[in-house]
Amino acid sequence: MTPILIQDVLKMLPHRFPFILVDRVLSAENGEVHAIKNVTIGEPFFVGHFPQEPVMPGVLITEALAQASMFCMQGQLQPGQIGYLAGIEGARFKRKVIPGDQLHLHAKLDFMRRGLGKTTCRAEVDGEVAAEMSILFAVAKQ
């Protein structure tokens, strides 16, 4: 497939700066997604987390994975529908994510039925796992 560039990511996700955490979707096929987030020193959260040692907060890595998860359902959502975070299972953070890293976001749709879904997710930097978790979401109208 052709990568989904930021212009089309913005058409598919309701998030905007500074909360859009997917820069590009490299692939989205058969319920599996590979997306990227380029982590730069210009991110607003680095001002306070932490000034002497900037580290991307785990909650934002989780949000990036949740945003990437929405591309697992490409073509299945009706216009105006979005996924709302409903739960997180088994979250583990294994490596710091720092400015200059490229965060590779992997999500696989486990199930989607009656407006509820679950994805298994992994975030990597340079092939090393930074975080992994399962994300539960509810699909509803905006």
Side-chain angles (χ1 to χ4, degrees), residues 21-67:
L21 297 172
V22 172
D23 290 324
R24 180 175 291 183
V25 177
L26 300 177
S27 65
E29 299 174 313
N30 303 318
E32 292 190 41
V33 168
H34 179 193
I36 56 172
K37 164 65 178 149
N38 294 307
V39 182
T40 69
I41 193 63
E43 306 286 349
F45 51 81
F46 284 136
V47 173
H49 198 270
F50 304 97
Q52 278 67 35
E53 182 185 1
V55 176
M56 186 174 184
V59 69
L60 293 180
I61 296 169
T62 301
E63 176 64 25
L65 287 166
Q67 289 180 23

Side-chain angles (χ1 to χ4, degrees), residues 42-110:
E43 306 286 349
F45 51 81
F46 284 136
V47 173
H49 198 270
F50 304 97
Q52 278 67 35
E53 182 185 1
V55 176
M56 186 174 184
V59 69
L60 293 180
I61 296 169
T62 301
E63 176 64 25
L65 287 166
Q67 289 180 23
S69 291
M70 292 303 97
F71 291 90
C72 289
M73 300 175 301
Q74 191 175 8
Q76 296 181 38
L77 297 179
Q78 303 297 322
Q81 283 187 320
I82 61 169
Y84 291 97
L85 185 64
I88 302 163
E89 295 177 346
R92 297 288 181 265
F93 301 91
K94 301 177 178 240
R95 177 199 192 281
K96 288 191 269 186
V97 177
I98 60 172
D101 284 345
Q102 188 174 66
L103 195 59
H104 287 260
L105 309 165
H106 300 272
K108 181 176 190 263
L109 185 64
D110 293 335

